[in-house]
Amino acid sequence: MAKTIKEINEKIKKGKAVVVTAEEIIDIVDEKGLEEAANTIDVVTTATFGPMCSSGAYFNIGAVKPKIKLGGGRASLNNVPVYTGFAAADLYIGANALPDDGPHNKVFPGAFKYGGGHVIEDLVAEKDLKLIATAYGTDCYPRKNLKTWINIKDLNEAVLFNPRNAYQNYNVAVNLSDKIIYTYMGELKPKLGNANYCSAGQLSPLLNDPYYKTIGIGTRLFLGGGVGYVVWQGTQHNPTVKRKDNGVPQAPAGTLAVLGDLKQMKPEWLRGTSMQGYGATLTLGIGIPIPILNEEICRWTAVRDEEIYTQIVDYSEVYPQGKKGSLGEVNYGELKKGKITVQGKDVPTGNLSSYPKAVEIAETLKKWIMKGDFLLGEPVAYLPGPDSGYSVKPLTERPIKEGG
Amino acid sequence: MVSKKIVLHFPHTLVDQPIVCKLVKEYDLEFTILKANVTPREEGLLVLELSGEDKNYEQGIEYLKKTGVNVRPLSKNVIRNEERCSHCSVCVPICPAGALIVEPLTRKVNFYSDKCIACELCVNACPLGAMEVHF
């Protein structure tokens, strides 16, 4: 029997909703069958906890006396530059931002111990941050310099706003060359020394809703320990990739742009991250509830690691040169066993995404919903699906001639 | 039986002499080289895990000291900051000593510090900075 989000929310308000995690639903469907599972279960919680580079936060620092217009000026937080292109007192910091005078990769591989992601973690941890700003001065905003400690508690708004999170599936990264390489997928040892992947697999939000039938614009979610929303498809959203018969993409596909109140978040779910030789970023926890509106949606949430496939990609040549080519396909069941076979060789695997943390998030979200604290958001619009024709495009360079 | 991790410093006068092999030949000890280095000024550094019968071990260490080798216990430890570790497992294939292993049931990463050789590869590889060196 089909349900609506409205009906499920009524049950949540009465404390009567039946909520399970995307891990638990697998056995329930196995034992009870799809029909009974779809009838009895109201919500399945999904989650992921991993590095998400396209993340950042904006905040309003409040007016100072005399006034300063940060817009068009320069500013840094704990020596990490922040973006000043918005009005007088709004700043945005991206997770990948790095100090101007940092060593970066000058001594290779750089350690990238402190960047935008770390600033965001410190902000959420309610630490005082050093704001240094310069402006050009106007009649209405005369001040040209500002040096002050700021704290999230004193900011007017502090909002996490991430252009691309929660990738629906991701590559397995390997290194075919004979020297070690340092990538955003971690350290890759030469000659297939290791294989790194980055997904919660059967718990991952968009792998449980492969056609974006319930996760859309307006979906309410667990974001960094607080409450957030899906606000758009993420950048590089690519729903048209090849899919298995179960609808699950076999390569990186859908993405989400998400937003939430940074003041509600907790550093435990939002960690500054250093990728050796690559840069600084943010590791983030996201949990998304899927309303079980019908049997089809229920079946999708019961997907297991062994049914989710992804591509093995060489990061020494194929990825950096933008070439096409997969070294083969593996499923997450194989990856999670700790060893896969690539070109006849046994290769140990490592996951950049924490499955135990994803389980914790899915359980937390489950509790919130069962307690009646968290109602499901009804999408006001849906994300472009596989039939939309929407896909990611590379940049075709048009060289600029001298003087042009 | 005894098995210990030790740090040996060889003065430049000793680096070209066969010393460690005698631990095997004359004292019936076994060793695993955890780290080896000769500095530009030709002083040698060797980190070993040395094992054998208690008496042989003592005599072997005594022999090393007599020849002029500086012997110290390995005092550098890698410690996991449990609050920062997310149990992601990216360190697991990096660890050459098998000290970081995924527990199949919980999917958590167990850190066996007794197996750790303090090579520090995990320290730089951990994205969350959870692996720390303590002296």
Side-chain angles (χ1 to χ4, degrees):
Chain A
M1 202 181 69
K3 286 172 267 186
T4 66
I5 292 179
K6 212 167 263 166
E7 286 164 359
I8 293 174
N9 275 339
E10 286 309 313
K11 284 176 103 174
I12 295 173
K13 282 182 205 164
K14 288 178 193 151
K16 286 185 176 169
V18 182
V19 190
V20 299
T21 70
E23 198 178 53
E24 293 165 333
I25 188 76
I26 296 170
D27 288 342
I28 294 171
V29 168
D30 261 3
E31 284 162 23
K32 297 188 171 173
L34 194 58
E35 194 185 344
E36 198 187 329
N39 283 336
T40 48
I41 309 291
D42 296 309
V43 184
V44 169
T45 58
T46 66
T48 182
F49 184 82
M52 303 196 199
C53 281
S54 191
S55 297
Y58 70 79
F59 40 88
N60 179 283
I61 62 161
V64 285
K65 285 182 191 174
K67 288 184 177 174
I68 184 167
K69 176 183 172 246
L70 299 176
R74 284 175 171 274
S76 67
L77 271 180
N78 283 1
N79 209 29
V80 178
V82 296
Y83 184 69
T84 55
F86 309 105
D90 290 344
L91 297 171
Y92 185 92
I93 182 156
N96 285 187
L98 290 170
D100 287 335
D101 54 358
H104 300 176
N105 256 340
K106 276 176 198 145
V107 179
F108 192 78
F112 300 99
K113 287 292 175 208
Y114 200 83
H118 301 85
V119 173
I120 295 169
E121 181 187 332
D122 282 348
L123 192 65
V124 171
E126 298 184 347
K127 289 185 186 168
D128 281 342
L129 304 180
K130 190 168 59 180
L131 171 68
I132 297 178
T134 56
Y136 50 84
T138 73
D139 286 344
C140 45
Y141 290 88
R143 193 148 161 193
K144 292 185 179 172
N145 286 289
L146 179 64
K147 272 190 188 182
T148 179
W149 294 103
I150 63 163
N151 191 294
I152 192 168
K153 290 184 274 189
D154 306 322
L155 300 174
N156 288 316
E157 289 81 19
V159 180
L160 191 73
F161 189 2
N162 303 341
R164 179 178 2 111
N165 282 174
Y167 240 118
Q168 186 182 29
N169 214 345
Y170 212 77
N171 298 333
V172 179
V174 296
N175 174 10
L176 289 181
S177 80
D178 54 12
K179 68 176 193 11
I180 192 164
I181 59 171
Y182 299 90
T183 73
Y184 68 89
M185 292 296 285
E187 178 182 328
L188 298 174
K189 297 197 276 187
K191 295 180 183 169
L192 296 167
N194 57 331
N196 282 355
Y197 64 107
C198 187
S199 175
Q202 64 194 16
L203 256 185
S204 184
L206 290 176
L207 290 172
N208 281 279
D209 184 11
Y211 294 115
Y212 330 116
K213 294 289 185 189
T214 70
I215 300 174
I217 296 165
T219 293
R220 188 176 286 123
L221 44 81
F222 171 111
L223 184 62
V227 173
Y229 297 86
V230 173
V231 293
W232 203 250
Q233 66 265 28
T235 54
Q236 291 176 204
H237 182 69
N238 197 22
T240 43
V241 301
K242 263 182 29 182
R243 289 165 188 260
K244 289 279 185 195
D245 290 343
N246 58 4
V248 177
Q250 291 157 257
T255 65
L256 300 175
V258 301
L259 178 149
D261 182 4
L262 206 57
K263 292 189 179 193
Q264 293 177 27
M265 297 185 196
K266 294 184 176 58
E268 184 190 356
W269 301 114
L270 199 129
R271 289 278 193 220
T273 301
S274 308
M275 299 306 301
Q276 189 185 11
Y278 180 76
T281 183
L282 185 74
T283 294
L284 179 65
I286 293 182
I288 305 186
I290 295 180
I292 302 303
L293 305 177
N294 55 47
E295 280 181 29
E296 194 175 37
I297 288 168
C298 186
R299 177 161 49 82
W300 284 324
T301 61
V303 73
R304 58 181 80 227
D305 284 331
E306 288 72 17
E307 299 160 341
I308 306 168
Y309 286 82
T310 189
Q311 307 303 313
I312 304 164
V313 176
D314 168 44
Y315 273 62
S316 70
E317 175 72 19
V318 171
Y319 184 89
Q321 297 306 325
K323 293 179 181 174
K324 287 214 160 100
S326 163
L327 295 166
E329 204 170 69
V330 278
N331 67 52
Y332 285 93
E334 296 170 278
L335 285 163
K336 285 182 183 173
K337 279 190 187 131
K339 202 164 67 182
I340 57 169
T341 307
V342 188
Q343 297 187 333
K345 191 182 169 187
D346 279 351
V347 185
T349 60
N351 193 357
L352 278 159
S353 176
S354 168
Y355 193 77
K357 286 279 175 199
V359 171
E360 224 178 304
I361 294 167
E363 290 288 350
T364 305
L365 185 56
K366 182 169 113 179
K367 276 188 208 121
W368 287 358
I369 298 169
M370 285 166 72
K371 270 173 65 188
D373 292 346
F374 184 105
L375 294 178
L376 306 189
E378 194 150 4
V380 289
Y382 289 91
L383 307 177
D387 302 326
S388 64
Y390 189 101
S391 66
V392 67
K393 294 185 289 287
L395 172 68
T396 307
E397 285 182 67
R398 291 180 291 128
I400 299 165
K401 291 190 188 97
E402 224 149 287
Chain B
M1 275 294 286
V2 60
S3 182
K4 283 182 184 168
K5 289 170 188 166
I6 51 171
V7 184
L8 309 180
H9 283 276
F10 295 77
H12 72 277
T13 50
L14 290 179
V15 284
D16 56 352
Q17 290 181 35
I19 292 172
V20 177
C21 63
K22 286 196 182 163
L23 295 174
V24 182
K25 274 185 173 173
E26 293 178 17
Y27 299 94
D28 195 24
L29 296 170
E30 284 183 359
F31 66 85
T32 311
I33 298 177
L34 304 178
K35 194 171 182 177
N37 190 26
V38 177
T39 66
R41 292 168 70 192
E42 294 197 339
E43 281 158 350
L45 169 98
L46 196 59
V47 183
L48 294 182
E49 176 155 17
L50 192 63
S51 48
E53 294 299 331
D54 291 24
K55 204 176 157 198
N56 292 346
Y57 184 89
E58 270 170 40
Q59 288 174 348
I61 295 288
E62 206 47 47
Y63 156 74
L64 286 174
K65 285 179 178 169
K66 262 188 208 159
T67 53
V69 179
N70 180 316
V71 185
R72 286 192 294 116
L74 180 65
S75 59
K76 192 167 69 177
N77 276 323
V78 172
I79 307 247
R80 182 165 73 179
N81 179 331
E82 297 297 336
E83 199 201 319
R84 276 203 87 79
C85 172
S86 77
H87 298 271
C88 72
S89 82
V90 79
C91 57
V92 172
I94 300 294
C95 177
L100 291 154
I101 304 283
V102 177
E103 216 292 295
L105 212 62
T106 60
R107 314 271 345 141
K108 288 197 169 178
V109 178
N110 286 342
F111 176 42
Y112 298 97
S113 53
D114 56 325
K115 284 191 178 176
C116 174
I117 58 170
C119 69
E120 298 179 37
L121 283 177
C122 59
V123 175
N124 294 324
C126 176
L128 300 182
M131 304 306 287
E132 299 166 355
V133 188
H134 289 243
F135 292 93

